[in-house]
Short mmCIF file of all heavy atoms in Angstrom, two decimals:
data_model
loop_
_atom_site.label_atom_id
_atom_site.label_comp_id
_atom_site.label_asym_id
_atom_site.label_seq_id
_atom_site.Cartn_x
_atom_site.Cartn_y
_atom_site.Cartn_z
N MET O 1 -21.90 -19.10 -18.26
CA MET O 1 -20.92 -19.00 -19.32
C MET O 1 -20.80 -20.31 -20.08
O MET O 1 -20.74 -20.31 -21.28
CB MET O 1 -19.58 -18.52 -18.77
CG MET O 1 -18.57 -18.26 -19.84
SD MET O 1 -19.01 -16.77 -20.72
CE MET O 1 -17.57 -16.48 -21.60
N ARG O 2 -20.81 -21.41 -19.32
CA ARG O 2 -20.72 -22.70 -19.97
C ARG O 2 -21.97 -22.97 -20.78
O ARG O 2 -21.87 -23.61 -21.82
CB ARG O 2 -20.57 -23.79 -18.87
CG ARG O 2 -19.23 -23.75 -18.11
CD ARG O 2 -19.17 -24.91 -17.17
NE ARG O 2 -17.93 -24.81 -16.41
CZ ARG O 2 -17.62 -25.57 -15.41
NH1 ARG O 2 -18.51 -26.44 -14.96
NH2 ARG O 2 -16.49 -25.47 -14.79
N LYS O 3 -23.11 -22.55 -20.26
CA LYS O 3 -24.32 -22.79 -21.06
C LYS O 3 -24.29 -22.12 -22.41
O LYS O 3 -24.77 -22.59 -23.40
CB LYS O 3 -25.53 -22.33 -20.25
CG LYS O 3 -25.79 -23.24 -19.04
CD LYS O 3 -27.01 -22.77 -18.32
CE LYS O 3 -27.21 -23.61 -17.03
NZ LYS O 3 -28.42 -23.23 -16.32
N ILE O 4 -23.74 -20.87 -22.42
CA ILE O 4 -23.64 -20.15 -23.67
C ILE O 4 -22.75 -20.91 -24.66
O ILE O 4 -23.11 -21.03 -25.81
CB ILE O 4 -23.08 -18.69 -23.37
CG1 ILE O 4 -24.11 -17.93 -22.54
CG2 ILE O 4 -22.87 -18.00 -24.72
CD1 ILE O 4 -23.56 -16.61 -22.03
N VAL O 5 -21.61 -21.31 -24.16
CA VAL O 5 -20.72 -22.03 -25.04
C VAL O 5 -21.29 -23.37 -25.47
O VAL O 5 -21.18 -23.73 -26.67
CB VAL O 5 -19.33 -22.29 -24.29
CG1 VAL O 5 -18.43 -23.19 -25.01
CG2 VAL O 5 -18.66 -20.94 -23.97
N LEU O 6 -22.00 -24.04 -24.56
CA LEU O 6 -22.62 -25.29 -24.92
C LEU O 6 -23.70 -25.07 -25.99
O LEU O 6 -23.85 -25.85 -26.92
CB LEU O 6 -23.25 -25.96 -23.72
CG LEU O 6 -23.89 -27.30 -23.90
CD1 LEU O 6 -22.87 -28.33 -24.49
CD2 LEU O 6 -24.46 -27.83 -22.60
N ALA O 7 -24.52 -24.04 -25.78
CA ALA O 7 -25.58 -23.77 -26.81
C ALA O 7 -24.95 -23.40 -28.16
O ALA O 7 -25.47 -23.88 -29.22
CB ALA O 7 -26.49 -22.65 -26.31
N ALA O 8 -23.89 -22.66 -28.20
CA ALA O 8 -23.23 -22.26 -29.45
C ALA O 8 -22.65 -23.53 -30.10
O ALA O 8 -22.76 -23.72 -31.30
CB ALA O 8 -22.18 -21.22 -29.18
N PHE O 9 -22.02 -24.39 -29.30
CA PHE O 9 -21.43 -25.59 -29.82
C PHE O 9 -22.54 -26.53 -30.36
O PHE O 9 -22.36 -27.07 -31.43
CB PHE O 9 -20.68 -26.33 -28.73
CG PHE O 9 -20.07 -27.65 -29.22
CD1 PHE O 9 -18.96 -27.69 -29.99
CD2 PHE O 9 -20.69 -28.85 -28.84
CE1 PHE O 9 -18.48 -28.88 -30.47
CE2 PHE O 9 -20.17 -30.03 -29.29
CZ PHE O 9 -19.09 -30.10 -30.10
N ALA O 10 -23.61 -26.64 -29.64
CA ALA O 10 -24.73 -27.48 -30.11
C ALA O 10 -25.32 -27.01 -31.45
O ALA O 10 -25.58 -27.78 -32.35
CB ALA O 10 -25.83 -27.57 -29.09
N ALA O 11 -25.45 -25.68 -31.58
CA ALA O 11 -25.96 -25.09 -32.77
C ALA O 11 -24.95 -25.37 -33.94
O ALA O 11 -25.36 -25.72 -35.07
CB ALA O 11 -26.19 -23.65 -32.65
N SER O 12 -23.66 -25.18 -33.68
CA SER O 12 -22.64 -25.42 -34.73
C SER O 12 -22.64 -26.89 -35.08
O SER O 12 -22.55 -27.23 -36.28
CB SER O 12 -21.30 -25.03 -34.23
OG SER O 12 -21.28 -23.67 -33.88
N ALA O 13 -22.79 -27.78 -34.14
CA ALA O 13 -22.76 -29.19 -34.42
C ALA O 13 -23.99 -29.60 -35.25
O ALA O 13 -23.85 -30.42 -36.21
CB ALA O 13 -22.73 -30.01 -33.12
N ALA O 14 -25.13 -29.02 -34.92
CA ALA O 14 -26.32 -29.31 -35.69
C ALA O 14 -26.22 -28.86 -37.13
O ALA O 14 -26.62 -29.57 -38.08
CB ALA O 14 -27.54 -28.73 -35.00
N LEU O 15 -25.64 -27.69 -37.30
CA LEU O 15 -25.47 -27.21 -38.67
C LEU O 15 -24.44 -28.06 -39.41
O LEU O 15 -24.62 -28.31 -40.61
CB LEU O 15 -25.03 -25.71 -38.66
CG LEU O 15 -26.11 -24.71 -38.20
CD1 LEU O 15 -25.50 -23.34 -38.07
CD2 LEU O 15 -27.31 -24.75 -39.19
N ALA O 16 -23.38 -28.44 -38.75
CA ALA O 16 -22.39 -29.28 -39.40
C ALA O 16 -22.95 -30.66 -39.77
O ALA O 16 -22.68 -31.16 -40.86
CB ALA O 16 -21.15 -29.46 -38.48
N LEU O 17 -23.72 -31.22 -38.90
CA LEU O 17 -24.31 -32.53 -39.22
C LEU O 17 -25.33 -32.40 -40.35
O LEU O 17 -25.45 -33.33 -41.18
CB LEU O 17 -24.97 -33.11 -37.97
CG LEU O 17 -24.02 -33.66 -36.91
CD1 LEU O 17 -24.77 -34.07 -35.69
CD2 LEU O 17 -23.16 -34.82 -37.48
N SER O 18 -26.08 -31.34 -40.40
CA SER O 18 -27.05 -31.19 -41.48
C SER O 18 -26.31 -31.01 -42.77
O SER O 18 -26.87 -31.39 -43.83
CB SER O 18 -27.98 -30.04 -41.18
OG SER O 18 -27.26 -28.83 -41.25
N ALA O 19 -25.15 -30.44 -42.81
CA ALA O 19 -24.40 -30.27 -44.01
C ALA O 19 -23.77 -31.61 -44.50
O ALA O 19 -23.48 -31.75 -45.70
CB ALA O 19 -23.32 -29.26 -43.82
N CYS O 20 -23.60 -32.61 -43.64
CA CYS O 20 -23.01 -33.88 -43.99
C CYS O 20 -23.99 -34.91 -44.54
O CYS O 20 -23.63 -35.96 -44.91
CB CYS O 20 -22.35 -34.50 -42.74
SG CYS O 20 -20.93 -33.54 -42.21
N GLY O 21 -25.26 -34.56 -44.55
CA GLY O 21 -26.35 -35.51 -45.06
C GLY O 21 -26.24 -35.71 -46.56
O GLY O 21 -25.50 -35.05 -47.26
N GLN O 22 -26.98 -36.72 -46.97
CA GLN O 22 -27.04 -37.00 -48.43
C GLN O 22 -27.66 -35.84 -49.18
O GLN O 22 -28.52 -35.12 -48.63
CB GLN O 22 -27.82 -38.29 -48.71
CG GLN O 22 -27.16 -39.48 -48.12
CD GLN O 22 -27.99 -40.73 -48.29
OE1 GLN O 22 -29.11 -40.66 -48.81
NE2 GLN O 22 -27.47 -41.88 -47.95
N LYS O 23 -27.31 -35.67 -50.43
CA LYS O 23 -27.83 -34.60 -51.19
C LYS O 23 -29.31 -34.63 -51.38
O LYS O 23 -30.03 -33.61 -51.43
CB LYS O 23 -27.13 -34.46 -52.57
CG LYS O 23 -25.67 -34.02 -52.41
CD LYS O 23 -25.05 -33.72 -53.75
CE LYS O 23 -23.65 -33.28 -53.50
NZ LYS O 23 -23.02 -32.79 -54.69
N ALA O 24 -29.88 -35.83 -51.41
CA ALA O 24 -31.33 -35.94 -51.55
C ALA O 24 -32.05 -35.52 -50.32
O ALA O 24 -33.22 -35.20 -50.36
CB ALA O 24 -31.64 -37.40 -51.92
N GLU O 25 -31.34 -35.51 -49.15
CA GLU O 25 -31.97 -35.16 -47.91
C GLU O 25 -31.41 -33.89 -47.30
O GLU O 25 -31.45 -33.68 -46.07
CB GLU O 25 -31.73 -36.32 -46.92
CG GLU O 25 -32.35 -37.61 -47.32
CD GLU O 25 -32.09 -38.71 -46.31
OE1 GLU O 25 -31.62 -38.43 -45.20
OE2 GLU O 25 -32.36 -39.90 -46.64
N GLU O 26 -30.92 -32.99 -48.14
CA GLU O 26 -30.36 -31.70 -47.62
C GLU O 26 -31.47 -30.97 -46.89
O GLU O 26 -32.61 -30.84 -47.31
CB GLU O 26 -29.80 -30.92 -48.77
CG GLU O 26 -28.46 -31.41 -49.27
CD GLU O 26 -27.83 -30.46 -50.27
OE1 GLU O 26 -28.20 -29.31 -50.27
OE2 GLU O 26 -27.07 -30.95 -51.04
N ALA O 27 -31.04 -30.30 -45.81
CA ALA O 27 -31.94 -29.49 -45.09
C ALA O 27 -32.17 -28.18 -45.79
O ALA O 27 -31.23 -27.61 -46.34
CB ALA O 27 -31.39 -29.16 -43.69
N PRO O 28 -33.43 -27.71 -45.87
CA PRO O 28 -33.64 -26.47 -46.55
C PRO O 28 -33.06 -25.29 -45.80
O PRO O 28 -32.81 -25.38 -44.63
CB PRO O 28 -35.20 -26.41 -46.65
CG PRO O 28 -35.68 -27.36 -45.60
CD PRO O 28 -34.60 -28.39 -45.41
N ALA O 29 -32.93 -24.19 -46.44
CA ALA O 29 -32.38 -22.99 -45.81
C ALA O 29 -33.23 -22.56 -44.67
O ALA O 29 -32.73 -22.03 -43.63
CB ALA O 29 -32.20 -21.91 -46.87
N ASP O 30 -34.57 -22.73 -44.76
CA ASP O 30 -35.46 -22.34 -43.68
C ASP O 30 -35.12 -23.10 -42.40
O ASP O 30 -35.18 -22.52 -41.31
CB ASP O 30 -36.92 -22.52 -44.07
CG ASP O 30 -37.32 -21.58 -45.18
OD1 ASP O 30 -36.66 -20.59 -45.36
OD2 ASP O 30 -38.39 -21.89 -45.83
N ALA O 31 -34.86 -24.41 -42.52
CA ALA O 31 -34.58 -25.18 -41.37
C ALA O 31 -33.24 -24.70 -40.71
O ALA O 31 -33.14 -24.65 -39.46
CB ALA O 31 -34.46 -26.66 -41.70
N ALA O 32 -32.28 -24.34 -41.51
CA ALA O 32 -31.02 -23.85 -41.02
C ALA O 32 -31.22 -22.52 -40.30
O ALA O 32 -30.69 -22.26 -39.26
CB ALA O 32 -29.96 -23.71 -42.09
N ALA O 33 -32.07 -21.68 -40.93
CA ALA O 33 -32.36 -20.39 -40.29
C ALA O 33 -33.11 -20.57 -38.98
O ALA O 33 -32.80 -19.84 -38.02
CB ALA O 33 -33.18 -19.49 -41.24
N ASP O 34 -34.02 -21.51 -38.91
CA ASP O 34 -34.75 -21.77 -37.68
C ASP O 34 -33.81 -22.28 -36.60
O ASP O 34 -33.87 -21.89 -35.44
CB ASP O 34 -35.81 -22.83 -37.90
CG ASP O 34 -37.02 -22.25 -38.72
OD1 ASP O 34 -37.11 -21.00 -38.84
OD2 ASP O 34 -37.82 -23.06 -39.23
N ALA O 35 -32.83 -23.14 -36.99
CA ALA O 35 -31.86 -23.67 -36.04
C ALA O 35 -30.99 -22.58 -35.50
O ALA O 35 -30.68 -22.51 -34.32
CB ALA O 35 -30.99 -24.75 -36.69
N ALA O 36 -30.60 -21.67 -36.39
CA ALA O 36 -29.76 -20.53 -35.96
C ALA O 36 -30.59 -19.58 -35.01
O ALA O 36 -30.02 -19.12 -34.04
CB ALA O 36 -29.27 -19.77 -37.17
N ALA O 37 -31.85 -19.38 -35.36
CA ALA O 37 -32.65 -18.54 -34.48
C ALA O 37 -32.85 -19.22 -33.08
O ALA O 37 -32.82 -18.53 -32.03
CB ALA O 37 -33.99 -18.27 -35.13
N THR O 38 -33.07 -20.53 -33.11
CA THR O 38 -33.19 -21.24 -31.80
C THR O 38 -31.95 -21.16 -30.99
O THR O 38 -31.97 -20.97 -29.83
CB THR O 38 -33.59 -22.68 -32.07
OG1 THR O 38 -34.78 -22.74 -32.85
CG2 THR O 38 -33.73 -23.51 -30.82
N ALA O 39 -30.80 -21.33 -31.68
CA ALA O 39 -29.53 -21.24 -30.96
C ALA O 39 -29.31 -19.78 -30.38
O ALA O 39 -28.83 -19.68 -29.24
CB ALA O 39 -28.37 -21.60 -31.90
N THR O 40 -29.63 -18.84 -31.15
CA THR O 40 -29.51 -17.45 -30.74
C THR O 40 -30.42 -17.19 -29.47
O THR O 40 -29.97 -16.54 -28.49
CB THR O 40 -29.83 -16.49 -31.81
OG1 THR O 40 -29.01 -16.70 -32.91
CG2 THR O 40 -29.74 -15.01 -31.40
N GLU O 41 -31.62 -17.72 -29.57
CA GLU O 41 -32.57 -17.56 -28.47
C GLU O 41 -32.07 -18.26 -27.21
O GLU O 41 -32.17 -17.74 -26.09
CB GLU O 41 -33.94 -18.13 -28.89
CG GLU O 41 -35.11 -17.64 -28.09
CD GLU O 41 -36.41 -18.13 -28.69
OE1 GLU O 41 -36.68 -17.83 -29.86
OE2 GLU O 41 -37.18 -18.81 -27.96
N ALA O 42 -31.54 -19.47 -27.39
CA ALA O 42 -30.96 -20.21 -26.24
C ALA O 42 -29.80 -19.46 -25.66
O ALA O 42 -29.59 -19.42 -24.43
CB ALA O 42 -30.56 -21.61 -26.70
N ALA O 43 -28.91 -18.90 -26.47
CA ALA O 43 -27.81 -18.09 -25.98
C ALA O 43 -28.28 -16.88 -25.22
O ALA O 43 -27.67 -16.53 -24.18
CB ALA O 43 -26.91 -17.69 -27.13
N ALA O 44 -29.32 -16.22 -25.71
CA ALA O 44 -29.88 -15.08 -24.96
C ALA O 44 -30.44 -15.48 -23.63
O ALA O 44 -30.22 -14.77 -22.64
CB ALA O 44 -30.94 -14.36 -25.81
N THR O 45 -31.13 -16.57 -23.61
CA THR O 45 -31.73 -17.11 -22.35
C THR O 45 -30.59 -17.42 -21.39
O THR O 45 -30.66 -17.11 -20.20
CB THR O 45 -32.56 -18.33 -22.59
OG1 THR O 45 -33.63 -17.96 -23.48
CG2 THR O 45 -33.18 -18.90 -21.29
N ALA O 46 -29.54 -18.10 -21.86
CA ALA O 46 -28.39 -18.42 -21.02
C ALA O 46 -27.70 -17.16 -20.47
O ALA O 46 -27.29 -17.10 -19.33
CB ALA O 46 -27.42 -19.30 -21.82
N THR O 47 -27.61 -16.15 -21.31
CA THR O 47 -26.98 -14.93 -20.90
C THR O 47 -27.81 -14.22 -19.78
O THR O 47 -27.26 -13.74 -18.80
CB THR O 47 -26.83 -13.93 -22.09
OG1 THR O 47 -26.03 -14.60 -23.09
CG2 THR O 47 -26.21 -12.64 -21.66
N ASP O 48 -29.11 -14.26 -20.00
CA ASP O 48 -30.02 -13.65 -18.95
C ASP O 48 -29.87 -14.45 -17.65
O ASP O 48 -29.84 -13.84 -16.55
CB ASP O 48 -31.48 -13.66 -19.41
CG ASP O 48 -31.72 -12.73 -20.53
OD1 ASP O 48 -30.85 -11.80 -20.76
OD2 ASP O 48 -32.78 -12.84 -21.22
N ALA O 49 -29.81 -15.74 -17.72
CA ALA O 49 -29.68 -16.56 -16.50
C ALA O 49 -28.36 -16.31 -15.83
O ALA O 49 -28.29 -16.20 -14.55
CB ALA O 49 -29.77 -18.06 -16.87
N ALA O 50 -27.28 -16.13 -16.59
CA ALA O 50 -25.99 -15.81 -16.05
C ALA O 50 -26.00 -14.47 -15.33
O ALA O 50 -25.40 -14.28 -14.27
CB ALA O 50 -24.88 -15.90 -17.11
N ALA O 51 -26.66 -13.50 -15.99
CA ALA O 51 -26.74 -12.15 -15.34
C ALA O 51 -27.55 -12.21 -14.03
O ALA O 51 -27.17 -11.61 -13.06
CB ALA O 51 -27.42 -11.17 -16.32
N THR O 52 -28.65 -12.97 -14.04
CA THR O 52 -29.41 -13.12 -12.82
C THR O 52 -28.63 -13.80 -11.73
O THR O 52 -28.64 -13.36 -10.54
CB THR O 52 -30.69 -13.97 -13.10
OG1 THR O 52 -31.43 -13.29 -14.15
CG2 THR O 52 -31.51 -14.13 -11.89
N ALA O 53 -27.86 -14.84 -12.08
CA ALA O 53 -27.01 -15.51 -11.07
C ALA O 53 -25.95 -14.56 -10.57
O ALA O 53 -25.60 -14.58 -9.38
CB ALA O 53 -26.39 -16.73 -11.73
N SER O 54 -25.36 -13.77 -11.44
CA SER O 54 -24.34 -12.80 -11.01
C SER O 54 -24.93 -11.79 -10.07
O SER O 54 -24.31 -11.45 -9.02
CB SER O 54 -23.74 -12.11 -12.28
OG SER O 54 -22.83 -11.13 -11.88
N ASP O 55 -26.10 -11.28 -10.39
CA ASP O 55 -26.75 -10.33 -9.49
C ASP O 55 -27.01 -10.93 -8.07
O ASP O 55 -26.86 -10.27 -7.08
CB ASP O 55 -28.06 -9.83 -10.11
CG ASP O 55 -27.83 -8.93 -11.35
OD1 ASP O 55 -26.70 -8.46 -11.49
OD2 ASP O 55 -28.81 -8.68 -12.06
N ALA O 56 -27.50 -12.16 -8.11
CA ALA O 56 -27.77 -12.86 -6.87
C ALA O 56 -26.47 -13.07 -6.03
O ALA O 56 -26.50 -12.86 -4.81
CB ALA O 56 -28.45 -14.18 -7.12
N ALA O 57 -25.40 -13.34 -6.69
CA ALA O 57 -24.11 -13.53 -6.02
C ALA O 57 -23.64 -12.23 -5.42
O ALA O 57 -23.13 -12.19 -4.29
CB ALA O 57 -23.04 -14.08 -7.01
N VAL O 58 -23.80 -11.13 -6.17
CA VAL O 58 -23.41 -9.83 -5.62
C VAL O 58 -24.27 -9.45 -4.41
O VAL O 58 -23.78 -8.97 -3.40
CB VAL O 58 -23.53 -8.70 -6.72
CG1 VAL O 58 -23.40 -7.32 -6.16
CG2 VAL O 58 -22.53 -8.96 -7.82
N ASP O 59 -25.57 -9.68 -4.50
CA ASP O 59 -26.50 -9.43 -3.38
C ASP O 59 -26.05 -10.27 -2.13
O ASP O 59 -26.03 -9.79 -1.01
CB ASP O 59 -27.90 -9.72 -3.72
CG ASP O 59 -28.45 -8.71 -4.74
OD1 ASP O 59 -27.83 -7.64 -4.90
OD2 ASP O 59 -29.51 -8.96 -5.32
N ALA O 60 -25.79 -11.53 -2.34
CA ALA O 60 -25.35 -12.47 -1.31
C ALA O 60 -24.07 -11.99 -0.66
O ALA O 60 -23.91 -12.01 0.59
CB ALA O 60 -25.28 -13.86 -1.78
N ALA O 61 -23.12 -11.53 -1.46
CA ALA O 61 -21.83 -11.05 -0.90
C ALA O 61 -22.08 -9.81 -0.11
O ALA O 61 -21.44 -9.62 0.93
CB ALA O 61 -20.86 -10.82 -2.07
N GLY O 62 -22.90 -8.94 -0.56
CA GLY O 62 -23.20 -7.73 0.18
C GLY O 62 -23.83 -8.00 1.54
O GLY O 62 -23.49 -7.43 2.51
N SER O 63 -24.80 -8.94 1.54
CA SER O 63 -25.42 -9.35 2.77
C SER O 63 -24.42 -10.03 3.77
O SER O 63 -24.48 -9.76 4.98
CB SER O 63 -26.57 -10.42 2.54
OG SER O 63 -27.57 -9.74 1.76
N ALA O 64 -23.51 -10.85 3.24
CA ALA O 64 -22.52 -11.45 4.03
C ALA O 64 -21.56 -10.44 4.65
O ALA O 64 -21.17 -10.51 5.79
CB ALA O 64 -21.73 -12.48 3.19
N THR O 65 -21.23 -9.40 3.84
CA THR O 65 -20.33 -8.38 4.36
C THR O 65 -21.03 -7.55 5.49
O THR O 65 -20.36 -7.29 6.50
CB THR O 65 -19.99 -7.43 3.21
OG1 THR O 65 -19.30 -8.19 2.16
CG2 THR O 65 -19.04 -6.28 3.64
N GLU O 66 -22.30 -7.29 5.32
CA GLU O 66 -23.01 -6.56 6.32
C GLU O 66 -23.10 -7.39 7.62
O GLU O 66 -22.93 -6.92 8.75
CB GLU O 66 -24.41 -6.19 5.82
CG GLU O 66 -24.42 -5.06 4.82
CD GLU O 66 -25.84 -4.80 4.30
OE1 GLU O 66 -26.80 -5.19 4.95
OE2 GLU O 66 -25.90 -4.15 3.24
N ALA O 67 -23.39 -8.69 7.49
CA ALA O 67 -23.52 -9.58 8.62
C ALA O 67 -22.18 -9.70 9.33
O ALA O 67 -22.10 -9.67 10.61
CB ALA O 67 -23.96 -10.93 8.19
N ALA O 68 -21.07 -9.73 8.62
CA ALA O 68 -19.73 -9.82 9.24
C ALA O 68 -19.42 -8.55 10.00
O ALA O 68 -18.89 -8.53 11.09
CB ALA O 68 -18.68 -10.10 8.15
N ALA O 69 -19.81 -7.40 9.41
CA ALA O 69 -19.54 -6.10 10.09
C ALA O 69 -20.37 -6.01 11.36
O ALA O 69 -19.90 -5.53 12.38
CB ALA O 69 -19.92 -4.97 9.15
N ASP O 70 -21.63 -6.45 11.29
CA ASP O 70 -22.48 -6.43 12.48
C ASP O 70 -21.95 -7.35 13.57
O ASP O 70 -21.91 -7.03 14.77
CB ASP O 70 -23.95 -6.84 12.11
CG ASP O 70 -24.67 -5.81 11.30
OD1 ASP O 70 -24.16 -4.67 11.23
OD2 ASP O 70 -25.69 -6.18 10.72
N ALA O 71 -21.45 -8.51 13.17
CA ALA O 71 -20.88 -9.47 14.14
C ALA O 71 -19.63 -8.89 14.79
O ALA O 71 -19.39 -9.02 15.98
CB ALA O 71 -20.57 -10.80 13.46
N ALA O 72 -18.81 -8.25 13.97
CA ALA O 72 -17.56 -7.59 14.51
C ALA O 72 -17.91 -6.49 15.49
O ALA O 72 -17.26 -6.38 16.55
CB ALA O 72 -16.72 -7.09 13.36
N ALA O 73 -18.89 -5.71 15.18
CA ALA O 73 -19.29 -4.62 16.08
C ALA O 73 -19.83 -5.18 17.38
O ALA O 73 -19.54 -4.69 18.49
CB ALA O 73 -20.39 -3.74 15.42
N THR O 74 -20.63 -6.28 17.33
CA THR O 74 -21.19 -6.88 18.49
C THR O 74 -20.05 -7.47 19.36
O THR O 74 -20.03 -7.33 20.58
CB THR O 74 -22.19 -7.97 18.09
OG1 THR O 74 -23.22 -7.39 17.32
CG2 THR O 74 -22.79 -8.67 19.36
N ALA O 75 -19.09 -8.07 18.71
CA ALA O 75 -17.95 -8.70 19.43
C ALA O 75 -17.13 -7.56 20.13
O ALA O 75 -16.67 -7.70 21.31
CB ALA O 75 -17.08 -9.51 18.49
N THR O 76 -16.95 -6.43 19.45
CA THR O 76 -16.17 -5.37 20.01
C THR O 76 -16.93 -4.77 21.26
O THR O 76 -16.29 -4.46 22.23
CB THR O 76 -15.99 -4.22 18.95
OG1 THR O 76 -15.31 -4.80 17.86
CG2 THR O 76 -15.22 -3.10 19.48
N ASP O 77 -18.23 -4.64 21.10
CA ASP O 77 -19.07 -4.16 22.24
C ASP O 77 -18.99 -5.10 23.38
O ASP O 77 -18.86 -4.70 24.55
CB ASP O 77 -20.50 -3.92 21.78
CG ASP O 77 -20.69 -2.78 20.80
OD1 ASP O 77 -19.70 -1.98 20.64
OD2 ASP O 77 -21.74 -2.74 20.16
N ALA O 78 -19.07 -6.36 23.14
CA ALA O 78 -19.03 -7.41 24.24
C ALA O 78 -17.59 -7.34 24.89
O ALA O 78 -17.52 -7.45 26.16
CB ALA O 78 -19.30 -8.77 23.66
N ALA O 79 -16.55 -7.22 24.15
CA ALA O 79 -15.20 -7.16 24.70
C ALA O 79 -15.04 -5.89 25.56
O ALA O 79 -14.43 -5.94 26.66
CB ALA O 79 -14.18 -7.19 23.58
N ALA O 80 -15.60 -4.80 25.12
CA ALA O 80 -15.50 -3.53 25.90
C ALA O 80 -16.28 -3.67 27.19
O ALA O 80 -15.88 -3.24 28.28
CB ALA O 80 -16.05 -2.36 25.10
N ALA O 81 -17.46 -4.29 27.13
CA ALA O 81 -18.25 -4.52 28.34
C ALA O 81 -17.56 -5.44 29.37
O ALA O 81 -17.53 -5.21 30.55
CB ALA O 81 -19.63 -5.10 28.00
N ALA O 82 -16.94 -6.46 28.81
CA ALA O 82 -16.18 -7.43 29.63
C ALA O 82 -14.94 -6.71 30.28
O ALA O 82 -14.64 -6.94 31.49
CB ALA O 82 -15.70 -8.64 28.86
N ALA O 83 -14.25 -5.88 29.51
CA ALA O 83 -13.16 -5.15 30.08
C ALA O 83 -13.57 -4.20 31.16
O ALA O 83 -12.95 -4.07 32.21
CB ALA O 83 -12.44 -4.39 29.00
N GLY O 84 -14.71 -3.52 30.99
CA GLY O 84 -15.28 -2.64 32.01
C GLY O 84 -15.67 -3.38 33.25
O GLY O 84 -15.42 -2.93 34.38
N ALA O 85 -16.23 -4.55 33.08
CA ALA O 85 -16.69 -5.36 34.24
C ALA O 85 -15.43 -5.80 35.01
O ALA O 85 -15.42 -5.88 36.27
CB ALA O 85 -17.51 -6.55 33.78
N ALA O 86 -14.39 -6.20 34.27
CA ALA O 86 -13.17 -6.67 34.91
C ALA O 86 -12.49 -5.56 35.72
O ALA O 86 -12.03 -5.72 36.79
CB ALA O 86 -12.22 -7.22 33.86
N GLU O 87 -12.53 -4.34 35.11
CA GLU O 87 -11.95 -3.16 35.83
C GLU O 87 -12.73 -2.86 37.15
O GLU O 87 -12.15 -2.64 38.19
CB GLU O 87 -12.03 -1.94 34.95
CG GLU O 87 -10.73 -1.54 34.23
CD GLU O 87 -10.88 -0.22 33.50
OE1 GLU O 87 -11.31 0.78 34.05
OE2 GLU O 87 -10.61 -0.33 32.28
N ASP O 88 -14.07 -2.90 37.04
CA ASP O 88 -14.88 -2.69 38.23
C ASP O 88 -14.66 -3.74 39.29
O ASP O 88 -14.53 -3.38 40.51
CB ASP O 88 -16.41 -2.69 37.81
CG ASP O 88 -16.76 -1.42 37.00
OD1 ASP O 88 -15.96 -0.49 36.92
OD2 ASP O 88 -17.86 -1.51 36.34
N ALA O 89 -14.49 -4.97 38.87
CA ALA O 89 -14.26 -6.03 39.81
C ALA O 89 -12.85 -5.86 40.49
O ALA O 89 -12.71 -6.11 41.71
CB ALA O 89 -14.33 -7.40 39.15
N ALA O 90 -11.92 -5.42 39.70
CA ALA O 90 -10.51 -5.25 40.21
C ALA O 90 -10.49 -4.08 41.21
O ALA O 90 -9.78 -4.09 42.17
CB ALA O 90 -9.56 -4.98 39.04
N LYS O 91 -11.27 -3.00 40.97
CA LYS O 91 -11.31 -1.91 41.89
C LYS O 91 -11.96 -2.22 43.20
O LYS O 91 -11.60 -1.69 44.29
CB LYS O 91 -12.15 -0.72 41.24
CG LYS O 91 -11.41 -0.04 40.12
CD LYS O 91 -12.24 1.07 39.53
CE LYS O 91 -11.51 1.69 38.35
NZ LYS O 91 -12.34 2.75 37.71
N LYS O 92 -12.92 -3.15 43.20
CA LYS O 92 -13.60 -3.52 44.45
C LYS O 92 -12.75 -4.42 45.27
O LYS O 92 -13.04 -4.56 46.48
CB LYS O 92 -14.92 -4.26 44.06
CG LYS O 92 -15.92 -3.32 43.50
CD LYS O 92 -17.21 -4.02 43.22
CE LYS O 92 -18.24 -3.08 42.66
NZ LYS O 92 -19.49 -3.73 42.33
N MET O 93 -11.73 -5.01 44.82
CA MET O 93 -10.88 -5.90 45.53
C MET O 93 -9.94 -5.17 46.34
O MET O 93 -9.33 -4.55 46.81
CB MET O 93 -10.18 -6.89 44.66
CG MET O 93 -11.16 -7.86 44.04
SD MET O 93 -10.18 -9.06 43.16
CE MET O 93 -11.18 -10.42 43.35
#
């Protein structure tokens, strides 16, 4: 998200600075259009990168949830086995 905002700000700043130049050195409309196209392309790339990062975060969260569930099940099984062993030991005494 920051990259998108940064790209938009950079494009706006570039256009603003080009407008402040001397009249003899004004940027042609084609250069401004190219700058706008470049900014749009950069924003699209940043959006794609953000979507990819978001997908990776969702996948990582899902994997972490599954791992936590597996660990909880293993701990429950171990506790049940320990309780059973303790009962057996108590009966033998």
Side-chain angles (χ1 to χ4, degrees):
M1 185 69 169
R2 289 181 184 174
K3 290 180 181 181
I4 295 169
V5 172
L6 182 59
F9 176 77
S12 298
L15 290 174
L17 287 175
S18 68
C20 293
Q22 295 178 355
K23 290 188 179 189
E25 297 179 11
E26 284 187 23
D30 291 341
D34 289 345
T38 301
T40 301
E41 199 172 305
T45 301
T47 301
D48 291 344
T52 301
S54 177
D55 291 345
V58 169
D59 291 344
S63 296
T65 301
E66 288 177 19
D70 290 345
T74 301
T76 301
D77 292 345
E87 258 185 56
D88 290 344
K91 286 180 183 177
K92 290 182 181 178
M93 291 185 147

